[in-house]
Amino acid sequence: LAVLVGAGIWGYRSDWKLPSLAGLFGEQKKEKDDWCEEHAVPESVCVECNPALLPAPPTYGWCEKHGVHDCPLDHPDVAQLPKVPRITPQDLDRAARSLAYADRPRNDKDCKLHPRRVQLASDAAAERAGIKTATVAEETIEEGVKAAGEITYDHPLVARLSSRLPGTVWRVVKNLGDPVKRGDVVVVIDAAEVGRTKAEYLQAVAQLDVRSRALQRITSAGAVVSEAKRLELEGAVKEARIRILAAQQALVNLGLPVHAEDLKGLTPEELARRLQFLGLPPALVQGLDPERTTASLLPVRSPLDGVVVSCETVAGEVTDPTKVLQVVADNHEMLLTLDVRQEDAGRMKLGQEVEFRPDGSKGELKGRVNWISTAVDMKTRTLKVHALFPNKDGRLKSNTFGSGMVVTREEKVVVVPNEAIHSDGECSIVFVRDKNYLTPGAPKVFHARSVRLGARTDEATEIIAGVLPGEVVATEGSAVLRGQLLKTSLPD
């Protein structure tokens, strides 16, 4: 009861009012008549009540070109800096490029907060309120087109290997996950057509040998033979040579090249033994028995360096040219396919940098645009864009989904921390610290400044116009300043 009675007496004497902003900051009124309730500072030092204590910055009204009030790009004397800064043509061009890049949000021309000032009683009050500051700086910022994407193997770096002839899988040399080099044998097929082609080549070689000897014998003996007989033998020799060339070309078409120079002087038995294991790697031949091994073996070779990413066959399985035996892919470079919105298609250019973050991954990978479709997808109404990503560490996996961004603008711009920006629904503002703030005895004042926003990252936002590098803005805790500003803006 005593506590309730005491609370009632206190409430009656304080008119049942909550503590003011000054109470929040820990300031105590010296005298009720010397306190400015509206601005929460002693009336004797209130710059709003006594403008002579700190004259307000000059006002120039609305800047139609940059969309802010009292534009520092056109009137640098409004900047809270020790000296009036010099605006260069590069500064104006930078703002123009940013405005031309995209439709930036505009401030309301009738925004009433921009010329206002918020005053703190002391540095200690600012510290207790948790107000921190940061210097406006220039940083490189990226802006681009975001789109969902999928990682796959690059099309020229994927080989789907099949047998050139119908047959039976004799041996699987490379298995799933095995690395391969270009020209390595991955599968060996037993195809009867290979044996027939080798036999035709041997027959052609034998016929050429017989007919060449007959022609040589007639020519060297000096015997008198009819012209017709000689022409007949010469024609037979030419026919045998043509049959050899045809059989040789048939073997080449099967991936079994034959060099006639290497086979000269061999006996029929040696020639047959040489053709028996034609095209097979020496390491595989060493373990084979010539008496029990067929001559119909056809090797399937990899046309590129890579890894066996799919193996769909086993020894003894019947196969034909329509069936894929293995898939070999080079995963040192992966392909990203982005589905870009039709309205963003005009910004796409070859060579642009692409940043991609796979789902479930924290880091980003960078690649380059290497292909832009010439047609929009009929169903999704999106544009296909390809980008290549180096993948030497194997981090990227095929069929991985994620989010990507094509960097269409990268420029050094004026930025402020995200927490420095506030909006009242009509305009965006920041609180700029007065240039005399650190002078001993000077009023502790922050100026509300309207700003035009540009690109935004996780930490900072581009300011197209409104503040200049070197000015100091309130960041963390600046919501306290916004609250006081809105409080003093409410109608009576």
Side-chain angles (χ1 to χ4, degrees):
L1 291 176
V3 172
L4 292 176
V5 172
I9 294 174
W10 174 86
Y12 176 77
R13 291 183 178 179
S14 63
D15 296 328
W16 299 99
K17 293 182 179 180
L18 295 175
S20 65
L21 182 65
L24 177 64
F25 287 167
E27 298 294 332
Q28 300 295 329
K29 300 180 182 181
K30 294 181 179 178
E31 295 181 8
K32 187 174 182 179
D33 295 339
D34 188 40
W35 189 258
C36 178
E37 289 287 352
E38 180 180 2
H39 302 109
V41 292
E43 188 172 346
S44 59
V45 295
C46 178
V47 297
E48 293 294 334
C49 300
N50 305 284
L53 295 176
L54 184 66
T59 59
Y60 297 96
W62 175 254
C63 175
E64 186 67 33
K65 181 178 180 181
H66 298 119
V68 295
H69 295 84
D70 303 328
C71 180
L73 291 177
D74 294 330
H75 307 284
D77 55 322
V78 303
Q80 294 299 318
L81 294 171
K83 296 182 180 180
V84 176
R86 176 177 174 269
I87 305 300
T88 65
Q90 290 77 11
D91 296 328
L92 298 176
D93 290 342
R94 178 174 58 195
R97 287 194 300 271
S98 182
L99 291 174
Y101 175 83
D103 185 16
R104 308 298 188 183
R106 295 177 62 89
N107 292 327
D108 193 326
K109 186 176 180 179
D110 297 327
C111 174
K112 304 300 182 182
L113 296 182
H114 70 92
R116 304 296 300 274
R117 296 182 290 181
V118 178
Q119 184 177 357
L120 301 175
S122 64
D123 284 332
E127 183 177 353
R128 283 191 290 271
I131 299 175
K132 296 183 180 180
T133 59
T135 303
V136 179
E138 292 182 326
E139 294 181 4
T140 300
I141 202 168
E142 293 179 348
E143 201 167 7
V145 175
K146 295 183 179 181
E150 180 183 7
I151 290 289
T152 57
Y153 297 115
D154 190 12
H155 301 305
L157 301 180
V158 179
R160 294 170 175 82
L161 307 180
S162 301
S163 173
R164 303 191 185 194
L165 295 171
T168 304
V169 177
W170 183 75
R171 180 174 296 182
V172 178
V173 181
K174 297 291 185 179
N175 291 295
L176 187 64
D178 289 346
V180 297
K181 296 291 184 181
R182 181 178 182 180
D184 284 355
V185 176
V186 296
V187 178
V188 179
I189 305 298
D190 185 356
E193 185 65 26
V194 175
R196 285 193 292 268
T197 304
K198 291 179 180 180
E200 290 176 1
Y201 182 82
L202 291 174
Q203 290 176 359
V205 170
Q207 287 181 357
L208 177 61
D209 183 61
V210 171
R211 293 175 181 180
S212 297
R213 288 184 181 183
L215 179 61
Q216 183 180 8
R217 191 165 51 248
I218 292 176
T219 304
S220 60
V224 178
V225 295
S226 64
E227 184 67 16
K229 183 64 174 178
R230 186 176 64 80
L231 292 176
E232 181 183 352
L233 288 175
E234 290 178 353
V237 170
K238 291 180 179 180
E239 180 184 357
R241 287 176 178 170
I242 292 174
R243 290 189 61 188
I244 287 178
L245 292 176
Q248 181 176 339
Q249 186 59 48
L251 291 173
V252 172
N253 292 340
L254 296 176
L256 302 173
V258 177
H259 302 286
E261 295 79 7
D262 299 337
L263 304 178
K264 286 183 178 180
L266 297 179
T267 63
E269 293 76 12
E270 292 173 340
L271 181 58
R273 184 64 56 85
R274 184 72 65 88
L275 291 181
Q276 181 180 10
F277 299 131
L278 182 65
L280 297 181
L284 182 60
V285 173
Q286 289 178 1
L288 300 180
D289 183 1
E291 301 298 331
R292 298 183 179 181
T293 305
T294 178
S296 302
L297 299 181
L298 175 65
V300 179
R301 297 180 179 273
S302 172
L304 49 82
D305 296 347
V307 178
V308 178
V309 297
S310 176
C311 184
E312 300 294 337
T313 187
V314 294
E317 183 178 1
V318 177
T319 186
D320 58 63
T322 63
K323 180 177 180 181
V324 177
L325 302 175
Q326 289 190 353
V327 178
V328 176
D330 184 354
N331 63 345
H332 288 87
E333 192 172 52
M334 303 295 283
L335 180 71
L336 170 66
T337 301
L338 293 172
D339 294 317
V340 177
R341 298 184 306 170
Q342 185 176 352
E343 52 266 35
D344 295 325
R347 297 180 181 177
M348 300 296 100
K349 295 180 181 179
L350 294 177
Q352 288 176 325
E353 185 178 76
V354 180
E355 298 175 351
F356 179 71
R357 176 176 295 179
D359 290 342
S361 175
K362 296 182 179 180
E364 289 185 342
L365 301 174
K366 295 185 178 182
R368 294 283 176 182
V369 174
N370 72 324
W371 179 79
I372 302 173
S373 177
T374 57
V376 174
D377 188 273
M378 294 294 294
K379 295 182 179 180
T380 63
R381 310 308 301 171
T382 57
L383 184 75
K384 298 290 184 182
V385 176
H386 287 176
L388 290 177
F389 284 76
N391 190 41
K392 293 183 179 180
D393 57 357
R395 177 182 174 185
L396 287 175
K397 308 298 182 184
S398 183
N399 303 324
T400 297
F401 291 94
S403 57
M405 184 182 76
V406 181
V407 180
T408 55
R409 176 178 176 244
E410 185 175 8
E411 190 172 4
K412 195 172 185 179
V413 297
V414 178
V415 298
V416 299
N418 291 335
E419 55 267 28
I421 300 171
H422 300 276
S423 175
D424 68 342
E426 295 182 345
C427 61
S428 299
I429 62 170
V430 297
F431 292 96
V432 182
R433 193 177 71 182
D434 188 83
K435 59 185 176 182
N436 298 312
Y437 188 97
L438 299 180
T439 302
K444 309 305 178 183
V445 173
F446 283 86
H447 302 264
R449 185 89 59 79
S450 68
V451 291
R452 187 79 177 269
L453 306 182
R456 181 185 178 95
T457 67
D458 294 338
E459 298 179 353
T461 299
E462 174 191 6
I463 303 298
I464 301 174
V467 293
L468 297 178
E471 291 190 283
V472 179
V473 296
T475 57
E476 184 179 342
S478 57
V480 174
L481 302 177
R482 178 178 180 273
Q484 177 65 14
L485 185 65
L486 293 177
K487 174 184 175 182
T488 57
S489 301
L490 292 176
D492 296 335

